[in-house]
Amino acid sequence: MASIDREEQLRHLHEERKRKTKEKVENAIKRLTKDSKAINFNSVAKEAGVTKATLYNHSDIRERIEFLREQQEKAFSNSRVKRDEANQDAMIASLRRRIKKLEGIIEELEDENKKLRKDESKDLADYIRNL
């Protein structure tokens, strides 16, 4: 009869330890999510104070971490694509404005060159006449 009580106590202790581990892991995931940090086996293990083996050995915890990690990767890649497209549109608009400005400067310089050549021709003609 004492062995039955002992087995029951061990089973109870084991279940309690599993429950505490799951609770620590869930709290760690909540903190990581709240702080917008990456959720993966390394970060969860470190935050929860458990080993990676513990996370891998509990199938429900493992599936949850894999799911959350995958969701973060999808969200990151989707936001990156949108950001890249927005950046590309902004870059194109900026380059168009710059081209327009440079075209205006080129036009002014060409006009100035024409004027200087005309003045130079006139000055050269006057110099030759005075010789």
Side-chain angles (χ1 to χ4, degrees):
M1 183 139 169
S3 66
I4 295 174
D5 289 340
R6 178 136 171 92
E7 287 176 15
E8 184 65 33
Q9 287 176 341
L10 289 175
R11 191 175 314 112
H12 179 70
L13 286 173
H14 180 70
E15 291 299 320
E16 183 66 20
R17 198 167 54 200
K18 269 176 83 171
R19 185 189 62 74
K20 285 182 179 179
T21 298
K22 287 182 180 182
E23 190 176 300
K24 286 196 290 187
V25 169
E26 285 300 319
N27 289 335
I29 290 173
K30 287 177 185 176
R31 284 191 303 273
L32 290 170
T33 303
K34 182 181 175 187
D35 295 340
S36 299
K37 292 184 178 175
I39 295 177
N40 55 48
F41 289 97
N42 289 327
S43 64
V44 173
K46 184 176 179 182
E47 185 73 23
V50 298
T51 64
K52 286 192 290 185
T54 300
L55 301 178
Y56 282 109
N57 289 334
H58 290 83
S59 60
D60 54 334
I61 293 174
R62 181 180 187 165
E63 289 172 8
R64 180 162 163 79
I65 292 171
E66 288 172 345
F67 174 78
L68 292 171
R69 180 179 60 191
E70 186 178 317
Q71 294 295 73
Q72 278 188 334
E73 288 171 357
K74 283 181 184 176
F76 177 75
S77 65
N78 288 343
S79 68
R80 184 172 192 132
V81 167
K82 289 177 185 172
R83 219 177 19 242
D84 288 347
E85 288 172 358
N87 286 348
Q88 186 177 17
D89 292 342
M91 182 70 79
I92 289 170
S94 173
L95 290 172
R96 285 188 175 146
R97 286 190 303 270
R98 188 170 180 197
I99 288 170
K100 190 166 185 89
K101 182 179 177 181
L102 291 172
E103 285 173 341
I105 291 171
I106 289 171
E107 190 175 320
E108 288 174 11
L109 291 172
E110 286 174 345
D111 290 344
E112 186 179 347
N113 276 343
K114 284 180 188 176
K115 182 180 178 264
L116 289 172
R117 284 190 187 113
K118 188 177 180 182
D119 290 347
E120 184 182 28
S121 265
K122 187 177 174 186
D123 289 344
L124 185 59
D126 289 343
Y127 177 75
I128 292 174
R129 244 185 271 135
N130 290 334
L131 283 176

